């Protein structure tokens, strides 16, 4: 933000910060996470509890996931809160917000290492939409 504020024009900022600007597709980011964590696509899709074909399409970049599906994938990858928030921001989605009831439940479940099914049960028990 400091660099952005100090720049005289958007072009100046973009030129100075080009190494930090997100320019890779989401699928590349997700596949880098897979490699970094030593996970297989099949295990992530299964642990995310999403349709297999849809999951592979997200990971290959042929489909763009909704915010909820991306959160499901974060659960499938067993990402912590910081990693999940970074993933959401990378995909241009709002990060999970602790003052939002539904988001706070999801955050609590991530913090307490719940899987996607237990998280959905918790959301359902609190009368919130499941992932």
């Amino acid at each position: 933000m400091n660099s952005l504020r100090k720049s005289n024009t958007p072009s100046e900022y973009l030129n100075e910060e080009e190494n930090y600007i997100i320019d890779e597709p989401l699928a590349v980011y997700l596949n880098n996470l897979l490699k970094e964590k030593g996970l297989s696509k099949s295990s992530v899709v299964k642990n995310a509890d999403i349709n297999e074909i849809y999951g592979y399409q997200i990971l290959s970049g042929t489909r763009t996931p909704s915010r909820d599906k991306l959160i499901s994938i974060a659960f499938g990858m067993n990402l912590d809160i910081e990693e999940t928030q970074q993933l959401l921001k990378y995909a241009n989605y709002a990060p999970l917000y602790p003052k939002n009831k539904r988001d706070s439940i999801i955050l609590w479940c991530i913090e307490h290492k719940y899987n996607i099914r237990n998280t959905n049960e918790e959301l359902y028990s609190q009368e919130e939409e499941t992932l």
Side-chain angles (χ1 to χ4, degrees), residues 27 45 51-65:
V45 170
N51 176 280
E52 188 175 350
I53 293 169
Y54 184 58
Y56 280 103
Q57 289 172 335
I58 292 169
L59 294 171
S60 70
T62 59
R63 295 280 301 266
T64 302

Side-chain angles (χ1 to χ4, degrees), residues 50-97:
I50 57 178
N51 176 280
E52 188 175 350
I53 293 169
Y54 184 58
Y56 280 103
Q57 289 172 335
I58 292 169
L59 294 171
S60 70
T62 59
R63 295 280 301 266
T64 302
S66 66
R67 182 176 184 259
D68 280 357
K69 292 301 180 206
L70 200 55
I71 293 169
S72 296
I73 288 173
F75 273 99
M77 291 183 167
N78 200 29
L79 300 183
D80 62 24
I81 289 174
E82 185 178 317
E83 293 166 326
T84 302
Q85 300 288 51
Q86 186 63 36
L87 176 60
L88 289 169
K89 288 187 257 184
Y90 192 93
N92 291 316
Y93 286 120
L96 293 162
Y97 185 53

Side-chain angles (χ1 to χ4, degrees), residues 104-129:
S104 68
I105 295 165
I106 294 168
L107 285 163
W108 188 93
C109 290
I110 293 170
E111 181 66 25
H112 290 87
K113 309 274 187 229
Y114 274 36
N115 64 27
I116 190 74
R117 289 191 174 120
N118 291 352
T119 300
N120 279 331
E121 288 174 11
E122 190 63 40
L123 287 165
Y124 183 80
S125 74
Q126 297 289 333
E127 298 179 356
E128 292 293 328
E129 186 177 330

